[in-house]
């Protein structure tokens, strides 16, 4: 049970990076939450580890960490847009990330927004297209 949950979380995280520049389509709430949790744990863990290095003040390390942060910001925004599409909302709502408290409000609304179970203008329901093929019951015997 735990092994399949970890596998699903890792699959959602890797899918987020494989579709990192795609702002089309939809993502389920579970995949979105799995991606965010693992993504931020790894990114902040890496940031803390790099800051504790003896040469943490060097320009190269700061530049590398800044570029990594920019890349992960783009990937996270694309995942947010796909999650908004699942709730049948426009991805342009992510533009409110530039306002101080808007990221918290958008994140909570993305986690709580009910999905549209049938297809919408952004594509088919991701729960019915991807998981139906993967989650076949195992035959015993």
């Amino acid at each position: 049970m735990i092994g399949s949950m970890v596998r699903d979380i890792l699959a959602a995280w890797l899918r987020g990076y494989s579709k990192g520049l795609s702002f089309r389509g939809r993502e389920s709430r579970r995949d979105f939450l799995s991606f965010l949790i693992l993504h931020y744990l790894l990114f902040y863990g890496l940031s803390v580890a790099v800051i504790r290095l003896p040469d943490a003040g060097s320009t190269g390390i700061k530049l590398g960490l800044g570029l990594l942060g920019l890349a992960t910001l783009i990937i996270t925004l694309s995942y947010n847009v796909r999650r908004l599409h699942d709730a049948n909302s426009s991805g342009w709502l992510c533009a409110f990330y530039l306002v101080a408290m808007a990221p918290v409000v958008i994140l909570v609304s993305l986690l709580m927004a009910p999905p549209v179970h049938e297809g919408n203008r952004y594509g088919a329901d991701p729960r019915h297209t991807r998981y139906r093929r993967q989650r076949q019951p195992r035959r015993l015997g």
Side-chain angles (χ1 to χ4, degrees):
M1 170 114 169
I2 292 177
S4 66
M5 183 173 50
V6 170
R7 187 174 46 245
D8 289 345
I9 289 171
L10 285 174
W13 185 69
L14 291 173
R15 219 177 5 263
Y17 277 99
S18 68
K19 297 191 305 186
L21 298 177
S22 173
F23 289 86
R24 296 180 186 267
R26 298 168 62 175
E27 290 294 338
S28 66
R29 275 188 285 199
R30 187 186 71 179
D31 284 355
F32 178 71
L33 183 60
S34 299
F35 174 80
L36 282 183
I37 289 172
L38 186 59
H39 176 75
Y40 284 116
L41 284 175
L42 290 174
F43 183 73
Y44 288 123
L46 178 68
S47 299
V48 168
V50 167
I51 289 172
R52 291 181 183 253
L53 288 174
D55 294 337
S58 73
T59 306
I61 291 178
K62 287 181 181 178
L63 180 64
L65 201 55
L67 290 174
L68 180 65
L70 182 62
T72 57
L73 174 69
I74 293 169
I75 291 168
T76 304
L77 282 176
S78 72
Y79 224 108
N80 287 336
V81 167
R82 292 193 305 269
R83 177 64 195 120
L84 282 167
H85 288 173
D86 189 46
N88 204 19
S89 298
S90 173
W92 284 104
L93 289 174
C94 285
F96 290 112
Y97 274 134
L98 302 174
V99 180
M101 283 303 292
V104 174
V105 172
I106 291 173
L107 184 63
V108 169
S109 67
L110 284 174
L111 291 174
M112 303 308 280
V116 176
H117 291 291
E118 62 275 353
N120 64 19
R121 62 185 169 168
Y122 299 107
D125 186 0
R127 285 158 298 282
H128 296 295
T129 56
R130 181 173 53 239
Y131 295 117
R132 185 167 287 168
R133 281 180 258 136
Q134 289 178 356
R135 296 184 181 258
Q136 297 289 330
R138 291 185 191 177
R139 293 185 182 172
L140 300 175

